[in-house]
Amino acid sequence: MTESKTPTKTKWDHYFSQWMVHRLAQFGLIGEAHPRFSELPYEADLFVCIPDGVTTPNHPLWKHLSCYTLIEFKSMHDPFKVRDFEKVCAYVAMSYEKYTLPLDAQVTAWIILPYINIHLEAALERHHIVLTQLQTGIHQANHPFFPLMIVEYGLLGQVHDFFDLQIFLNKESILDSAIKEGFEQLKATFLLEEFVKILMMIHPKEVLR
């Protein structure tokens, strides 16, 4: 009798962070993947800093970044869970100590996920947070202690602008367009090789088609 093997789970959040550190560097931004906030296994997905002298990117999504932005990414394989919102709040608070930020600095929290689910809806209601839609899939809110952005990348429109996030979807029609757009935009850049590496880890069959 042979033992059944549990399928290996691909950690899409790891590859999201790895890709974004390279991608956002194109805009002059500094990103740290998986910043750890304690000896416990608590880490966010990305912390983005806009250095002095660098302007906010002229991009429909990244133009909303603040000087310091804490990003929590969720995929179809790792959905938003019951206590995830409270973890994000803790990460924002601990950012000041980890990066020795001035106490009057503003850290914005971003939650990037395919779609707002029942657990995030419940967290927003629990904290009396009302979202304002900036455009389809991009929402802004004021948490009592920090600005908040929520991005539903399953609802974003133009592939031209959002292929970076749409490659983390499973819907074939969107995924195919996102992959093609990525190759087109990155073909003459040093990022193409990194883009292919990420795709091979999260969508190997689609890349080899």
Side-chain angles (χ1 to χ4, degrees), residues 38-89:
S38 73
E39 295 304 314
L40 298 173
Y42 292 140
E43 61 181 25
D45 288 309
L46 196 64
F47 191 85
V48 181
C49 170
I50 301 179
D52 292 340
V54 175
T55 57
T56 305
N58 182 22
H59 183 278
L61 179 59
W62 306 121
K63 69 180 181 182
H64 298 295
L65 289 169
S66 63
C67 288
Y68 306 104
T69 304
L70 185 288
I71 297 179
E72 181 70 7
F73 173 80
K74 292 296 178 180
S75 70
M76 304 295 290
H77 304 283
D78 177 28
F80 198 89
K81 301 181 183 68
V82 174
R83 293 180 177 83
D84 281 347
F85 190 84
E86 283 65 34
K87 288 181 182 178
V88 171
C89 294

Side-chain angles (χ1 to χ4, degrees), residues 11-25 30-35 43-48 62 70-75 78 112 164-165 167-168 191 194 198 202:
K11 296 185 176 181
W12 283 25
D13 57 341
H14 169 79
Y15 295 108
F16 164 81
S17 303
Q18 184 177 327
W19 169 242
M20 283 300 162
V21 166
H22 293 282
R23 176 65 167 158
L24 293 177
I30 299 172
E32 179 183 355
H34 306 295
E43 61 181 25
D45 288 309
L46 196 64
F47 191 85
V48 181
W62 306 121
L70 185 288
I71 297 179
E72 181 70 7
F73 173 80
K74 292 296 178 180
S75 70
D78 177 28
I112 300 179
D164 292 299
L165 296 180
I167 60 172
F168 292 95
L191 282 180
E194 187 66 26
I198 298 298
I202 61 177

Side-chain angles (χ1 to χ4, degrees), residues 115-171:
Y115 307 98
I116 293 175
N117 65 10
I118 58 172
H119 299 306
L120 181 51
E121 284 182 347
L124 295 174
E125 183 176 348
R126 187 165 64 247
H127 291 274
H128 308 290
I129 295 172
V130 178
L131 299 181
T132 299
Q133 182 172 287
L134 302 181
Q135 68 180 75
T136 302
I138 302 177
H139 312 274
Q140 188 176 48
N142 279 319
H143 184 277
F145 299 111
F146 53 82
L148 174 66
M149 292 282 293
I150 295 178
V151 179
E152 298 178 273
Y153 59 91
L155 298 180
L156 295 177
Q158 299 293 327
V159 174
H160 176 80
D161 293 320
F162 302 115
F163 76 89
D164 292 299
L165 296 180
Q166 291 172 336
I167 60 172
F168 292 95
L169 292 169
N170 281 331
K171 190 173 181 180

Side-chain angles (χ1 to χ4, degrees), residues 169-209:
L169 292 169
N170 281 331
K171 190 173 181 180
E172 190 172 311
S173 58
I174 298 177
L175 178 58
D176 286 346
S177 297
I179 291 175
K180 290 176 183 176
E181 184 64 32
F183 275 107
E184 180 63 27
Q185 288 195 34
L186 301 173
K187 63 184 178 183
T189 74
F190 70 94
L191 282 180
L192 182 59
E193 183 178 351
E194 187 66 26
F195 184 66
V196 173
K197 287 180 184 177
I198 298 298
L199 289 176
M200 287 299 295
M201 296 305 301
I202 61 177
H203 296 298
K205 293 180 180 178
E206 287 77 2
V207 176
L208 295 175
R209 268 207 307 252

